[in-house]
Amino acid sequence: MTREGQQSQLPGDSRFFTRSGPFSLARLLEVTGAEALGPATAETLFEGVAPLHAAGPQHVSFCDNRRYLPLLETTGAGLVVLGPAFVDKVPKGCTALISREPYLLWARVARLFHPAPPVQAKCHPTAVIGQDVKIGKQVEIGPFAVIGDGVSLGDGCVIGAHASVGDHVVIGAGCRIGAHVSLSHALLGERVVLYPGARIGQDGFGFAVGPEGFETVPQLGRVVLGDGVEVGANSTIDRGSMRDTVIGAGTRIDNLVQIGHNAQLGRCCIVVSQAGVSGSTVIEDFVTIAAQAGLIGHIHIGRKARIGAQCGVMNDVDAGADVIGSPAMPFREFFRNVATLRKLSRK
Amino acid sequence: MTREGQQSQLPGDSRFFTRSGPFSLARLLEVTGAEALGPATAETLFEGVAPLHAAGPQHVSFCDNRRYLPLLETTGAGLVVLGPAFVDKVPKGCTALISREPYLLWARVARLFHPAPPVQAKCHPTAVIGQDVKIGKQVEIGPFAVIGDGVSLGDGCVIGAHASVGDHVVIGAGCRIGAHVSLSHALLGERVVLYPGARIGQDGFGFAVGPEGFETVPQLGRVVLGDGVEVGANSTIDRGSMRDTVIGAGTRIDNLVQIGHNAQLGRCCIVVSQAGVSGSTVIEDFVTIAAQAGLIGHIHIGRKARIGAQCGVMNDVDAGADVIGSPAMPFREFFRNVATLRKLSRK
Amino acid sequence: MTREGQQSQLPGDSRFFTRSGPFSLARLLEVTGAEALGPATAETLFEGVAPLHAAGPQHVSFCDNRRYLPLLETTGAGLVVLGPAFVDKVPKGCTALISREPYLLWARVARLFHPAPPVQAKCHPTAVIGQDVKIGKQVEIGPFAVIGDGVSLGDGCVIGAHASVGDHVVIGAGCRIGAHVSLSHALLGERVVLYPGARIGQDGFGFAVGPEGFETVPQLGRVVLGDGVEVGANSTIDRGSMRDTVIGAGTRIDNLVQIGHNAQLGRCCIVVSQAGVSGSTVIEDFVTIAAQAGLIGHIHIGRKARIGAQCGVMNDVDAGADVIGSPAMPFREFFRNVATLRKLSRK
């Protein structure tokens, strides 16, 4: 099995993914509400999805990044999902599926061809289930999962292999708890997804200096995850000390992210991998925190602010602001500084 | 269950935390050795702890950050732990519990109301215990824990669910090994705490360039953790190659921290989340390394040095020095540079 | 058990490591192909390895870092592996084992004295093995491992305690899957090593903005790890969305590293701890990415480029280039900037 041989394969390897279809253009238009432009007819069938460079006439592909226009111009795909601006780059013989939200459209087309496998109502015989556990309908519990006393699992939850759910944790309907997750002192809304190895609810980093070393300050809050929150692999969210650590509905957290105790994130924030939010910091709705950025504790980030990659935020950030650099400053100032310093160094 | 409803609750949710009390002011003074100033009498009873904004007359609260003085001035708390400087901000009807070490006092008050649950002497029937394991008194071993051959567990240890303890590891009395920890080639003192997902004792990142690629250099040292060391969730400490990786007594390591092979940390150091210490670096006692800082290998950090957040340390740091920036420089120089560049850019 | 007492011990603690020997100088010369200079004869026996400061006449030691020359000059070691440049620093009574690749030589000497323990063909009775699993010869499967349906395990594989291997994953001969690893949607070559807690194959961070929040974009690719790839503890490699995430043969990834979906790493790259590679970035062969560096998505890094610690890479990097800083710039430019700014600030 060579690297090249593996690479040439199309996405959706049937060993790992479910498949559906084929689907007619008519069906794709119905599902997506998009507009088609090109030679395909309502009855033309498509068998699956493929990237621009590998797609054939039976495939649906996708382009929304100017960087990949050369691939669009030469693609063999039968159908391509894209925005209006790229329509004139579609080669002859290929039909454009046009949307002002092409990535969203693409998500739905790809999901149509590769639906998520249904949840199987079963509890692996090796799982350890505590006392007074409430288990909803159609719940799947994997091998070696540990469910503590008094836990509540909503309908349609999936608990992965080796997951550890502490006593009295509440998990809403439709949640997916990945393999090896540890979860304690927490209340989860609906459709929360925790990726493998996420650590939710452990003690925050709180201690006082005592006469014989550090003394731990009891961490008496919880972690509250709103509906639809996702937390990436090996990320860590500490529970609060005196209030809860709260992640608002719809917020997506990538891998290896740290969220400190008492932090409050609003709705639909994005926190990219390896970023860190220190304790007691408050982040309003729709904030984006790029990769490897760090926020100190006890600050306030306004709604729709954008924190750049590797940014070091030591002060409050206004709503709608774009900041980058360490210490953080407006994007324009940062890049002006870079240019100034380069110029001065060359003298 | 709404987000707001969850938020309004007080800390110490009885589903997750033990409770004790009520306690009289006399008892609190006895436990803490502090001084009280205000209307409460020795017999006044307090039921629990609460943050300033949510506390009522039956609650003890806390303030040691100037940022929260407005909350102090309007709190409904019956008793507030604070330092002498804030006493004049305490509202009428509220009693001040005054200490020069208010955070330490607070740790003890909170622990009084919410004592740690006692260790339960039991070994879950699913745990796999190797041969010739020495198990002390009052040891608790969780479901699916794996204890290798020849392991020694001191009195009062707690081994979490799914923890994996390699052959011949020595764990002192009173240690708590969190869920999903992996631990090998290691000697632990007493009262060591490893949070969920910590990885202790795996091979360091050592390899030589051979004719057909990299060849691994055997990593023949151990990890030695002193008394009272704590290691955060998903942090990683590699074992040494030719000597041990050593973490001195009392040192606290936050989440997602990397400690390379052969590193030597002194006593009572603080390493905040996502910081990294490269191989063979030596760090003296009482050093603080803030979040996301990185230290290259083979350098020496003097006693009580403070490394700022996101600092990139490429050279030795003197005892007592404060450094920040990448590359690291004294705090004053760093902020002077920031100001200089801003001024030059605006010209 | 004092810290000092533990520290004084030699590497290769027999509780944790296998031992072999003693070996004669003749044997060491035969194994290494190196040249000896000094008083030892072909028959002189050596018992083990030790660091310069602790070694006695029965030990082999090692020096290839100028920083440690004072230790070399005073070592009590009987034999020291080193490069030609250090030969004149070897003390009387000590024999030099000289090589132009001393670290590689050292790897082989240390491995001779401390060979890797042989794989034991056994499957722990607690492991859960799926249907239609192909298990090669001499495979070791640890307690509570979960092997999904249709998995293929090559000869000589070791699957650690609590490892979770998803359905249809292919693992080549001689792989070592550490404790608590989760692995899905992946194809592994031969001799791949995954350290404890590595997360391989979970969904990438892909979602579109929908009318009611973010909608997940199906992640339909795989993770393909070439022969000899190593992935550090708690590192995360997301599977591709429309193509595979690929790590080329021989590449070594340290702890707590993030590799985003669709990333392509070439052969024999080095990615040091806490670095991050964003989605769809392509990295050619022999690239080094130092600790805590971050690369944005969709860029191209040329062959043998070197990315410095904490570097923030926002653009393509040419083959052979050395870059550092955030944003990334050539090493020389970065350090010239640092000097310029220091000078200007002092005015």
Side-chain angles (χ1 to χ4, degrees):
Chain A
M1 195 176 57
T2 66
R3 176 179 157 191
E4 289 69 26
Q6 294 166 350
Q7 275 292 81
S8 71
Q9 292 191 28
L10 294 168
D13 183 332
S14 60
R15 290 174 292 184
F16 300 124
F17 301 96
T18 57
R19 280 178 166 278
S20 189
F23 297 104
S24 66
L25 178 59
R27 179 70 194 283
L28 293 172
L29 291 173
E30 180 194 320
V31 165
T32 60
E35 184 191 350
L37 187 69
T41 66
E43 293 75 35
T44 307
L45 287 177
F46 297 96
E47 290 177 10
V49 295
L52 290 167
H53 70 275
Q58 72 280 29
H59 292 131
V60 190
S61 194
F62 169 69
C63 185
D64 80 339
N65 186 332
R66 195 160 293 279
R67 188 180 286 262
Y68 299 116
L69 283 182
L71 293 175
L72 174 61
E73 291 172 325
T74 57
T75 186
L79 189 65
V80 179
V81 174
L82 38 61
F86 292 177
V87 170
D88 58 343
K89 304 295 185 188
V90 175
K92 266 190 195 170
C94 174
T95 296
L97 200 58
I98 309 162
S99 169
R100 298 208 171 271
E101 293 170 317
Y103 198 41
L104 180 61
L105 197 78
W106 173 246
R108 293 173 179 180
V109 168
R111 183 55 74 211
L112 187 70
F113 284 104
H114 297 283
V119 175
Q120 303 188 293
K122 65 173 180 188
C123 177
H124 197 277
T126 59
V128 169
I129 313 292
Q131 295 184 303
D132 301 317
V133 174
K134 286 178 201 154
I135 301 184
K137 297 169 194 161
Q138 203 71 11
V139 167
E140 184 173 339
I141 300 178
F144 307 124
V146 175
I147 312 291
D149 294 341
V151 167
S152 174
L153 301 178
D155 294 347
C157 283
V158 178
I159 309 294
H162 303 103
S164 170
V165 180
D167 293 349
H168 303 291
V169 165
V170 175
I171 299 181
C175 289
R176 288 194 290 128
I177 309 301
H180 300 103
V181 164
S182 53
L183 177 60
S184 69
H185 306 85
L187 308 177
L188 277 57
E190 301 189 348
R191 289 164 288 108
V192 171
V193 181
L194 305 181
Y195 286 94
R199 310 288 166 209
I200 313 288
Q202 59 282 339
D203 290 57
F205 196 57
F207 46 87
V209 179
E212 298 179 14
F214 300 125
E215 293 192 18
T216 296
V217 174
Q219 304 289 304
L220 301 169
R222 305 166 301 186
V223 173
V224 178
L225 304 181
D227 293 343
V229 165
E230 302 208 355
V231 180
N234 283 347
S235 287
T236 56
I237 303 179
D238 291 342
R239 71 173 186 267
S241 56
M242 278 300 278
R243 58 182 192 177
D244 295 329
T245 304
V246 179
I247 312 293
T251 286
R252 300 253 174 161
I253 295 173
D254 201 354
N255 298 341
L256 293 168
V257 167
Q258 153 74 359
I259 307 288
H261 54 179
N262 310 319
Q264 315 278 316
L265 275 71
R267 288 179 305 124
C268 290
C269 293
I270 297 171
V271 187
V272 186
S273 68
Q274 297 176 319
V277 176
S278 299
S280 301
T281 278
V282 175
I283 296 172
E284 299 289 348
D285 299 342
F286 306 111
V287 168
T288 299
I289 301 174
Q292 297 184 336
L295 284 66
I296 67 160
H298 299 281
I299 59 173
H300 180 273
I301 310 297
R303 185 181 161 91
K304 293 197 177 176
R306 296 192 298 179
I307 314 290
Q310 297 189 327
C311 189
V313 187
M314 303 188 188
N315 293 105
D316 292 354
V317 174
D318 291 339
D322 273 353
V323 297
I324 195 166
S326 181
M329 60 191 83
F331 265 62
R332 286 184 60 166
E333 185 179 330
F334 178 77
F335 287 106
R336 200 171 53 202
N337 282 356
V338 168
T340 298
L341 188 53
R342 181 180 297 137
K343 207 164 120 190
L344 290 168
S345 288
R346 284 183 180 159
K347 277 181 186 170
Chain B
M1 196 175 58
T2 66
R3 177 178 157 194
E4 289 68 26
Q6 295 167 353
Q7 276 291 81
S8 70
Q9 294 189 27
L10 294 168
D13 184 332
S14 60
R15 291 174 289 183
F16 300 124
F17 301 96
T18 56
R19 280 177 166 280
S20 188
F23 297 104
S24 66
L25 178 60
R27 179 70 194 282
L28 293 172
L29 292 174
E30 181 194 319
V31 166
T32 60
E35 183 191 351
L37 186 69
T41 68
E43 293 77 32
T44 306
L45 287 177
F46 297 96
E47 289 177 10
V49 295
L52 290 167
H53 70 277
Q58 72 279 29
H59 292 131
V60 189
S61 195
F62 169 70
C63 185
D64 81 337
N65 186 332
R66 195 161 293 280
R67 188 181 286 263
Y68 299 118
L69 283 183
L71 293 176
L72 174 60
E73 291 173 324
T74 58
T75 187
L79 190 65
V80 179
V81 174
L82 37 63
F86 292 176
V87 170
D88 59 344
K89 305 294 186 189
V90 175
K92 265 190 195 170
C94 174
T95 296
L97 199 59
I98 308 162
S99 168
R100 297 206 172 274
E101 293 170 318
Y103 198 42
L104 179 61
L105 196 77
W106 173 247
R108 292 173 180 180
V109 168
R111 183 55 74 213
L112 187 69
F113 284 103
H114 297 283
V119 175
Q120 302 188 292
K122 64 174 181 187
C123 178
H124 196 277
T126 59
V128 169
I129 311 292
Q131 294 184 305
D132 301 317
V133 173
K134 287 178 200 156
I135 301 184
K137 295 169 194 160
Q138 204 71 12
V139 167
E140 183 174 340
I141 300 178
F144 307 123
V146 175
I147 311 292
D149 294 342
V151 167
S152 174
L153 301 177
D155 295 347
C157 285
V158 178
I159 310 294
H162 303 104
S164 170
V165 181
D167 293 349
H168 303 291
V169 165
V170 175
I171 299 180
C175 291
R176 288 195 292 128
I177 309 301
H180 303 280
V181 165
S182 53
L183 176 60
S184 69
H185 306 85
L187 308 177
L188 277 58
E190 302 189 348
R191 291 165 286 107
V192 171
V193 181
L194 306 181
Y195 286 94
R199 310 288 165 211
I200 312 288
Q202 58 283 338
D203 289 56
F205 197 58
F207 46 86
V209 179
E212 298 179 12
F214 301 125
E215 293 192 18
T216 296
V217 174
Q219 304 290 303
L220 301 169
R222 304 166 300 186
V223 173
V224 178
L225 304 180
D227 293 343
V229 165
E230 303 208 355
V231 181
N234 283 348
S235 287
T236 56
I237 303 179
D238 291 342
R239 72 174 185 267
S241 55
M242 279 300 278
R243 58 181 190 176
D244 295 329
T245 304
V246 179
I247 313 292
T251 285
R252 300 252 175 161
I253 295 173
D254 200 354
N255 298 340
L256 294 167
V257 167
Q258 153 73 359
I259 306 288
H261 54 182
N262 309 321
Q264 314 278 315
L265 275 71
R267 288 179 306 123
C268 292
C269 294
I270 298 172
V271 187
V272 186
S273 66
Q274 299 176 318
V277 176
S278 299
S280 301
T281 278
V282 175
I283 296 171
E284 299 290 347
D285 299 343
F286 306 110
V287 168
T288 299
I289 301 175
Q292 299 184 335
L295 284 67
I296 66 159
H298 299 280
I299 59 173
H300 180 272
I301 310 297
R303 185 181 160 91
K304 293 197 178 178
R306 295 192 299 179
I307 314 290
Q310 298 189 327
C311 189
V313 187
M314 303 187 188
N315 293 106
D316 292 354
V317 174
D318 291 339
D322 274 352
V323 297
I324 195 167
S326 181
M329 60 192 82
F331 266 61
R332 287 184 60 166
E333 184 178 331
F334 177 76
F335 288 105
R336 199 169 54 202
N337 282 357
V338 168
T340 298
L341 188 52
R342 180 180 297 137
K343 207 164 118 190
L344 291 168
S345 288
R346 284 182 180 161
K347 277 182 186 169
Chain C
M1 195 174 60
T2 65
R3 176 176 159 193
E4 289 67 27
Q6 294 166 352
Q7 276 290 82
S8 70
Q9 293 190 28
L10 294 169
D13 182 333
S14 60
R15 290 174 291 184
F16 300 123
F17 301 96
T18 56
R19 279 178 167 280
S20 188
F23 298 104
S24 66
L25 178 59
R27 178 71 193 284
L28 293 172
L29 291 173
E30 180 193 320
V31 166
T32 61
E35 184 191 350
L37 186 70
T41 68
E43 294 75 34
T44 307
L45 287 178
F46 297 96
E47 290 177 10
V49 295
L52 290 168
H53 70 277
Q58 74 278 31
H59 292 130
V60 189
S61 195
F62 169 69
C63 186
D64 80 339
N65 186 332
R66 195 160 294 279
R67 188 180 286 263
Y68 300 116
L69 282 182
L71 294 176
L72 175 60
E73 291 173 325
T74 58
T75 188
L79 189 65
V80 178
V81 174
L82 37 61
F86 292 176
V87 170
D88 57 344
K89 306 294 184 188
V90 174
K92 265 191 194 172
C94 175
T95 297
L97 200 58
I98 308 162
S99 168
R100 297 207 170 272
E101 294 170 316
Y103 198 42
L104 179 61
L105 197 78
W106 172 246
R108 292 173 180 180
V109 168
R111 183 56 72 211
L112 187 69
F113 283 104
H114 297 283
V119 175
Q120 302 188 295
K122 65 173 180 189
C123 177
H124 197 276
T126 60
V128 170
I129 312 292
Q131 295 185 303
D132 301 317
V133 173
K134 287 179 200 155
I135 301 184
K137 296 170 194 160
Q138 204 71 12
V139 167
E140 183 175 341
I141 300 178
F144 307 123
V146 175
I147 311 292
D149 294 341
V151 167
S152 174
L153 301 178
D155 294 348
C157 284
V158 178
I159 311 292
H162 303 103
S164 170
V165 181
D167 293 349
H168 303 291
V169 165
V170 175
I171 299 180
C175 290
R176 289 194 291 127
I177 310 300
H180 300 101
V181 165
S182 53
L183 177 60
S184 69
H185 307 86
L187 308 177
L188 277 58
E190 301 189 347
R191 290 165 287 104
V192 171
V193 181
L194 305 181
Y195 286 94
R199 310 289 164 209
I200 313 288
Q202 60 282 338
D203 290 56
F205 197 57
F207 47 86
V209 179
E212 299 178 10
F214 301 126
E215 293 191 19
T216 296
V217 174
Q219 304 289 305
L220 302 169
R222 305 166 300 186
V223 173
V224 178
L225 304 181
D227 293 343
V229 165
E230 302 208 354
V231 181
N234 284 348
S235 287
T236 56
I237 303 179
D238 291 342
R239 72 174 184 267
S241 55
M242 279 300 279
R243 56 182 192 178
D244 295 330
T245 303
V246 179
I247 311 294
T251 286
R252 301 253 175 161
I253 296 174
D254 200 353
N255 298 341
L256 293 168
V257 167
Q258 154 73 1
I259 307 287
H261 54 181
N262 310 320
Q264 314 278 316
L265 275 72
R267 287 180 305 122
C268 291
C269 293
I270 298 171
V271 187
V272 185
S273 66
Q274 298 176 319
V277 176
S278 300
S280 301
T281 278
V282 175
I283 296 171
E284 300 289 348
D285 299 343
F286 306 111
V287 168
T288 299
I289 301 175
Q292 299 184 335
L295 285 67
I296 68 160
H298 299 280
I299 58 173
H300 180 272
I301 309 297
R303 185 181 161 92
K304 292 196 178 177
R306 296 192 297 178
I307 315 288
Q310 298 189 327
C311 188
V313 187
M314 304 187 188
N315 294 104
D316 292 355
V317 174
D318 291 339
D322 274 352
V323 297
I324 195 167
S326 181
M329 61 192 83
F331 265 62
R332 287 184 61 165
E333 184 180 331
F334 177 77
F335 287 105
R336 200 170 53 202
N337 282 356
V338 168
T340 298
L341 189 52
R342 180 179 297 137
K343 207 164 120 190
L344 290 168
S345 288
R346 284 183 181 159
K347 277 183 186 169

PDB file of all heavy atoms in Angstrom, chain A residues 212-228:
ATOM      1  N   GLU A 212       3.396  26.790  54.168  1.00  0.00           N
ATOM      2  CA  GLU A 212       4.171  25.603  53.768  1.00  0.00           C
ATOM      3  C   GLU A 212       4.012  25.284  52.293  1.00  0.00           C
ATOM      4  O   GLU A 212       4.069  24.128  51.889  1.00  0.00           O
ATOM      5  CB  GLU A 212       3.744  24.409  54.615  1.00  0.00           C
ATOM      6  CG  GLU A 212       4.026  24.635  56.089  1.00  0.00           C
ATOM      7  CD  GLU A 212       3.573  23.467  56.930  1.00  0.00           C
ATOM      8  OE1 GLU A 212       3.285  22.397  56.352  1.00  0.00           O
ATOM      9  OE2 GLU A 212       3.507  23.619  58.164  1.00  0.00           O
ATOM     10  N   GLY A 213       3.768  26.306  51.498  1.00  0.00           N
ATOM     11  CA  GLY A 213       3.579  26.079  50.054  1.00  0.00           C
ATOM     12  C   GLY A 213       2.200  26.534  49.623  1.00  0.00           C
ATOM     13  O   GLY A 213       1.507  27.232  50.362  1.00  0.00           O
ATOM     14  N   PHE A 214       1.831  26.127  48.444  1.00  0.00           N
ATOM     15  CA  PHE A 214       0.536  26.546  47.911  1.00  0.00           C
ATOM     16  C   PHE A 214      -0.585  25.746  48.556  1.00  0.00           C
ATOM     17  O   PHE A 214      -0.433  24.554  48.839  1.00  0.00           O
ATOM     18  CB  PHE A 214       0.510  26.347  46.401  1.00  0.00           C
ATOM     19  CG  PHE A 214       1.574  27.135  45.688  1.00  0.00           C
ATOM     20  CD1 PHE A 214       2.474  26.513  44.832  1.00  0.00           C
ATOM     21  CD2 PHE A 214       1.687  28.508  45.865  1.00  0.00           C
ATOM     22  CE1 PHE A 214       3.456  27.230  44.167  1.00  0.00           C
ATOM     23  CE2 PHE A 214       2.672  29.241  45.201  1.00  0.00           C
ATOM     24  CZ  PHE A 214       3.564  28.596  44.357  1.00  0.00           C
ATOM     25  N   GLU A 215      -1.725  26.414  48.784  1.00  0.00           N
ATOM     26  CA  GLU A 215      -2.929  25.716  49.251  1.00  0.00           C
ATOM     27  C   GLU A 215      -4.025  25.883  48.209  1.00  0.00           C
ATOM     28  O   GLU A 215      -4.315  26.990  47.775  1.00  0.00           O
ATOM     29  CB  GLU A 215      -3.396  26.280  50.591  1.00  0.00           C
ATOM     30  CG  GLU A 215      -2.421  25.991  51.713  1.00  0.00           C
ATOM     31  CD  GLU A 215      -3.002  26.293  53.100  1.00  0.00           C
ATOM     32  OE1 GLU A 215      -4.242  26.396  53.233  1.00  0.00           O
ATOM     33  OE2 GLU A 215      -2.197  26.425  54.038  1.00  0.00           O
ATOM     34  N   THR A 216      -4.637  24.768  47.864  1.00  0.00           N
ATOM     35  CA  THR A 216      -5.681  24.780  46.839  1.00  0.00           C
ATOM     36  C   THR A 216      -6.914  25.525  47.323  1.00  0.00           C
ATOM     37  O   THR A 216      -7.367  25.326  48.448  1.00  0.00           O
ATOM     38  CB  THR A 216      -6.045  23.330  46.492  1.00  0.00           C
ATOM     39  OG1 THR A 216      -4.885  22.712  45.918  1.00  0.00           O
ATOM     40  CG2 THR A 216      -7.194  23.261  45.504  1.00  0.00           C
ATOM     41  N   VAL A 217      -7.448  26.388  46.470  1.00  0.00           N
ATOM     42  CA  VAL A 217      -8.720  27.044  46.750  1.00  0.00           C
ATOM     43  C   VAL A 217      -9.826  26.168  46.160  1.00  0.00           C
ATOM     44  O   VAL A 217      -9.775  25.820  44.976  1.00  0.00           O
ATOM     45  CB  VAL A 217      -8.745  28.446  46.116  1.00  0.00           C
ATOM     46  CG1 VAL A 217     -10.120  29.085  46.276  1.00  0.00           C
ATOM     47  CG2 VAL A 217      -7.661  29.320  46.733  1.00  0.00           C
ATOM     48  N   PRO A 218     -10.808  25.798  46.973  1.00  0.00           N
ATOM     49  CA  PRO A 218     -11.865  24.933  46.442  1.00  0.00           C
ATOM     50  C   PRO A 218     -12.519  25.544  45.207  1.00  0.00           C
ATOM     51  O   PRO A 218     -12.791  26.746  45.176  1.00  0.00           O
ATOM     52  CB  PRO A 218     -12.858  24.844  47.605  1.00  0.00           C
ATOM     53  CG  PRO A 218     -12.043  25.100  48.823  1.00  0.00           C
ATOM     54  CD  PRO A 218     -10.989  26.087  48.397  1.00  0.00           C
ATOM     55  N   GLN A 219     -12.759  24.720  44.234  1.00  0.00           N
ATOM     56  CA  GLN A 219     -13.362  25.154  42.980  1.00  0.00           C
ATOM     57  C   GLN A 219     -14.808  24.671  42.999  1.00  0.00           C
ATOM     58  O   GLN A 219     -15.079  23.503  42.744  1.00  0.00           O
ATOM     59  CB  GLN A 219     -12.572  24.563  41.806  1.00  0.00           C
ATOM     60  CG  GLN A 219     -11.082  24.918  41.849  1.00  0.00           C
ATOM     61  CD  GLN A 219     -10.816  26.391  41.535  1.00  0.00           C
ATOM     62  OE1 GLN A 219     -11.216  26.884  40.487  1.00  0.00           O
ATOM     63  NE2 GLN A 219     -10.165  27.098  42.457  1.00  0.00           N
ATOM     64  N   LEU A 220     -15.719  25.565  43.323  1.00  0.00           N
ATOM     65  CA  LEU A 220     -17.087  25.193  43.677  1.00  0.00           C
ATOM     66  C   LEU A 220     -18.114  25.477  42.598  1.00  0.00           C
ATOM     67  O   LEU A 220     -19.315  25.369  42.838  1.00  0.00           O
ATOM     68  CB  LEU A 220     -17.469  25.908  44.985  1.00  0.00           C
ATOM     69  CG  LEU A 220     -16.547  25.580  46.163  1.00  0.00           C
ATOM     70  CD1 LEU A 220     -16.827  26.524  47.327  1.00  0.00           C
ATOM     71  CD2 LEU A 220     -16.723  24.137  46.601  1.00  0.00           C
ATOM     72  N   GLY A 221     -17.647  25.883  41.423  1.00  0.00           N
ATOM     73  CA  GLY A 221     -18.574  26.110  40.318  1.00  0.00           C
ATOM     74  C   GLY A 221     -18.681  24.890  39.419  1.00  0.00           C
ATOM     75  O   GLY A 221     -18.158  23.815  39.721  1.00  0.00           O
ATOM     76  N   ARG A 222     -19.370  25.089  38.310  1.00  0.00           N
ATOM     77  CA  ARG A 222     -19.589  23.995  37.368  1.00  0.00           C
ATOM     78  C   ARG A 222     -19.118  24.424  35.976  1.00  0.00           C
ATOM     79  O   ARG A 222     -18.629  25.534  35.796  1.00  0.00           O
ATOM     80  CB  ARG A 222     -21.090  23.670  37.323  1.00  0.00           C
ATOM     81  CG  ARG A 222     -21.665  23.357  38.701  1.00  0.00           C
ATOM     82  CD  ARG A 222     -23.184  23.385  38.696  1.00  0.00           C
ATOM     83  NE  ARG A 222     -23.676  24.690  38.290  1.00  0.00           N
ATOM     84  CZ  ARG A 222     -24.959  25.057  38.297  1.00  0.00           C
ATOM     85  NH1 ARG A 222     -25.877  24.194  38.692  1.00  0.00           N
ATOM     86  NH2 ARG A 222     -25.322  26.258  37.908  1.00  0.00           N
ATOM     87  N   VAL A 223     -19.282  23.530  35.019  1.00  0.00           N
ATOM     88  CA  VAL A 223     -19.165  23.917  33.613  1.00  0.00           C
ATOM     89  C   VAL A 223     -20.557  23.798  33.000  1.00  0.00           C
ATOM     90  O   VAL A 223     -21.212  22.754  33.161  1.00  0.00           O
ATOM     91  CB  VAL A 223     -18.171  23.012  32.850  1.00  0.00           C
ATOM     92  CG1 VAL A 223     -18.202  23.330  31.358  1.00  0.00           C
ATOM     93  CG2 VAL A 223     -16.761  23.197  33.396  1.00  0.00           C
ATOM     94  N   VAL A 224     -20.990  24.843  32.338  1.00  0.00           N
ATOM     95  CA  VAL A 224     -22.294  24.837  31.675  1.00  0.00           C
ATOM     96  C   VAL A 224     -22.060  25.040  30.181  1.00  0.00           C
ATOM     97  O   VAL A 224     -21.522  26.070  29.762  1.00  0.00           O
ATOM     98  CB  VAL A 224     -23.199  25.957  32.232  1.00  0.00           C
ATOM     99  CG1 VAL A 224     -24.536  25.965  31.498  1.00  0.00           C
ATOM    100  CG2 VAL A 224     -23.401  25.790  33.734  1.00  0.00           C
ATOM    101  N   LEU A 225     -22.433  24.035  29.395  1.00  0.00           N
ATOM    102  CA  LEU A 225     -22.248  24.103  27.936  1.00  0.00           C
ATOM    103  C   LEU A 225     -23.611  24.242  27.275  1.00  0.00           C
ATOM    104  O   LEU A 225     -24.486  23.382  27.460  1.00  0.00           O
ATOM    105  CB  LEU A 225     -21.543  22.840  27.419  1.00  0.00           C
ATOM    106  CG  LEU A 225     -20.191  22.503  28.057  1.00  0.00           C
ATOM    107  CD1 LEU A 225     -19.618  21.228  27.417  1.00  0.00           C
ATOM    108  CD2 LEU A 225     -19.201  23.646  27.903  1.00  0.00           C
ATOM    109  N   GLY A 226     -23.798  25.307  26.510  1.00  0.00           N
ATOM    110  CA  GLY A 226     -25.084  25.562  25.865  1.00  0.00           C
ATOM    111  C   GLY A 226     -25.361  24.604  24.706  1.00  0.00           C
ATOM    112  O   GLY A 226     -24.503  23.825  24.289  1.00  0.00           O
ATOM    113  N   ASP A 227     -26.549  24.701  24.178  1.00  0.00           N
ATOM    114  CA  ASP A 227     -26.962  23.835  23.056  1.00  0.00           C
ATOM    115  C   ASP A 227     -25.984  23.974  21.887  1.00  0.00           C
ATOM    116  O   ASP A 227     -25.592  25.082  21.509  1.00  0.00           O
ATOM    117  CB  ASP A 227     -28.347  24.246  22.555  1.00  0.00           C
ATOM    118  CG  ASP A 227     -29.442  23.984  23.577  1.00  0.00           C
ATOM    119  OD1 ASP A 227     -29.218  23.209  24.526  1.00  0.00           O
ATOM    120  OD2 ASP A 227     -30.529  24.571  23.429  1.00  0.00           O
ATOM    121  N   GLY A 228     -25.627  22.864  21.303  1.00  0.00           N
ATOM    122  CA  GLY A 228     -24.823  22.884  20.091  1.00  0.00           C
ATOM    123  C   GLY A 228     -23.360  23.231  20.278  1.00  0.00           C
ATOM    124  O   GLY A 228     -22.622  23.356  19.293  1.00  0.00           O
TER     125      GLY A 228
END
